[in-house]
Amino acid sequence: MKQTERPIAWGVVGKDRPAIALQRKNLNSTPTPGPEDVVIRNEYIGLNPVDWKMIRNWPANWNIGHVPGVDGAGTVLRLGENVKGLVPGQRVAYHQDLCRDGSFASHTVVDNRALLKVPDTLPLLLAASLPCPLMTAWQAIEKVPRQPEANVLITGAGGMVGRFLIQLAAQRNYRVTAMASPRHHKTLRQLGAESVVAWDTHSLKTQFFAVFDTVNAQHASSMADWIEANGHLVCIQDRLKTPPVPAFDKAISLHEVALNALFRVGTDRQWAQFRQAGEDLLTMVAHENLRAPEPHTEDMATLPDALEELTTQDRPLKTVIDVHHFANGE
């Protein structure tokens, strides 16, 4: 299918729900990269909850017309003068800086350090669905010291981040308990959870070395009683403003996860580690050593409505937008 020739994007026109806040705009030309940047011709766009949450919250640095979207996959179009190790036409996936125009466009300018080379055997459609949930799960598991056979709990495990976390934890020989709705239990066992429980702490039978919470700060705080002394509480969806236990009590270590922190203060060493880990994980998905669900696909023209659907209870597990289907002049 023919890639759209005239650059287009979905920009925000106000602080509202996605179906109203996003408006299509035609661009006069493809973007120009800065010295350390790369212009990506997007082929697929991965939708994430953070996308609609940012539109509703409207960050201070956003202006009318800002293009949202954190995840995308496509090919390298243009390189900044200082960029090395990449070539035009190379297949890449990325997680974008929230302060820059994002992936809801035919072309996106991305810091070259954030680009992950996609294995030839991994379809770009699937690659676009991975950066945010996969790298969030990786960052979360990296927060906790390795302790094989330790018990860990993952809440909200039926979502994308939770599913990847189960697999990464099982591969590190943790004993994984997954908390999720019953409809997910069979799948979560297949992914590596030794036990699964519903949204009910009365089902819990043990204390945990670490709890990975994907719900919110209030829920994370409520799990503190189930963490063993000197254990870990990793907040993925939110952050705790106050410690959930008294000082010098259980001595729980608190962690927060924020992929975009690297764009603000990340060192070259950290970026290199992020990129290597990301490319290794994409290779694992390509080799089916890490299972990723097949995403639901929508056309570029339906992006605002598809993002709106992610705010509902009946949302697809993962939605990817096919940029090819946005015909020029539509």
Side-chain angles (χ1 to χ4, degrees):
M1 297 180 183
K2 188 176 181 180
Q3 173 76 36
T4 180
E5 295 176 358
R6 184 177 182 181
I8 56 91
W10 288 102
V12 288
V13 295
K15 183 178 178 180
D16 211 322
R17 57 190 183 88
I20 296 174
L22 289 168
Q23 180 175 306
R24 177 190 171 179
K25 59 180 184 178
N26 295 319
L27 307 178
N28 294 327
S29 61
T30 57
T32 299
E36 310 294 336
D37 294 331
V38 176
V39 177
I40 306 302
R41 177 185 284 118
N42 293 317
E43 296 194 29
Y44 299 96
I45 300 163
L47 300 185
N48 294 282
V50 67
D51 296 324
W52 63 261
K53 291 176 182 179
M54 294 297 288
I55 292 172
R56 285 186 176 179
N57 293 332
W58 197 275
N61 62 288
W62 280 21
N63 297 311
I64 295 294
H66 180 89
V67 178
V70 291
D71 281 359
T75 55
V76 172
L77 179 64
R78 300 175 63 185
L79 303 170
E81 59 187 32
N82 296 336
V83 177
K84 302 183 184 302
L86 294 166
V87 295
Q90 192 154 24
R91 302 164 79 245
V92 294
Y94 62 87
H95 182 78
Q96 175 66 317
D97 184 347
L98 287 167
C99 293
R100 303 184 72 173
D101 281 337
S103 60
F104 290 3
S106 58
H107 301 78
T108 304
V109 180
V110 184
D111 186 321
N112 78 95
R113 298 175 299 177
L115 295 175
L116 307 177
K117 297 175 183 177
V118 176
D120 292 339
T121 54
L122 183 65
L124 284 177
L125 187 154
L126 183 55
S129 73
L130 299 174
C132 186
L134 184 56
M135 298 312 294
T136 295
W138 168 78
Q139 190 179 83
I141 201 76
E142 284 288 307
K143 297 280 186 177
V144 176
R146 298 200 183 203
Q147 191 173 116
E149 301 300 321
N151 293 302
V152 301
L153 172 66
I154 300 167
T155 71
M160 286 285 286
V161 173
R163 293 181 184 215
F164 286 131
L165 256 175
I166 287 173
Q167 296 176 79
L168 295 177
Q171 290 171 6
R172 297 185 183 204
N173 294 318
Y174 290 114
R175 299 171 61 89
V176 181
T177 296
M179 179 180 283
S181 299
R183 69 181 184 275
H184 297 304
H185 287 187
K186 180 180 179 180
T187 297
L188 301 184
R189 286 192 182 95
Q190 294 171 342
L191 292 177
E194 290 194 14
S195 61
V196 291
V197 296
W199 294 97
D200 178 10
T201 55
H202 295 297
S203 303
L204 299 176
K205 305 299 183 183
T206 186
Q207 293 272 295
F208 297 94
F209 170 66
V211 171
F212 299 89
D213 185 80
T214 70
V215 184
N216 56 40
Q218 182 179 2
H219 189 268
S221 182
S222 73
M223 303 308 298
D225 288 343
W226 295 98
I227 301 174
E228 64 188 32
N230 299 305
H232 300 265
L233 177 56
V234 184
C235 300
I236 295 169
Q237 187 62 35
D238 210 341
R239 70 190 302 266
L240 298 183
K241 296 181 179 179
T242 58
V245 296
F248 307 108
D249 180 53
K250 281 190 172 184
I252 293 174
S253 295
L254 303 179
H255 308 271
E256 61 185 50
V257 175
L259 289 182
N260 250 245
L262 287 184
F263 288 107
R264 309 282 79 77
V265 294
T267 65
D268 288 341
R269 176 190 61 80
Q270 289 175 307
W271 273 114
Q273 182 186 34
F274 175 90
R275 188 168 55 249
Q276 185 63 61
E279 292 177 355
D280 288 346
L281 290 167
L282 292 182
T283 298
M284 291 174 65
V285 174
H287 293 167
E288 299 184 351
N289 295 323
L290 195 61
R291 293 173 57 185
E294 192 70 24
H296 172 72
T297 309
E298 293 281 357
D299 295 352
M300 183 67 155
T302 68
L303 189 154
D305 291 329
L307 186 59
E308 180 80 25
E309 188 177 10
L310 293 194
T311 68
T312 69
Q313 289 294 324
D314 298 326
R315 61 188 179 275
L317 182 61
K318 189 67 181 185
T319 297
V320 167
I321 299 298
D322 187 343
V323 181
H324 302 80
H325 288 183
F326 206 145
N328 189 32
E330 182 178 310

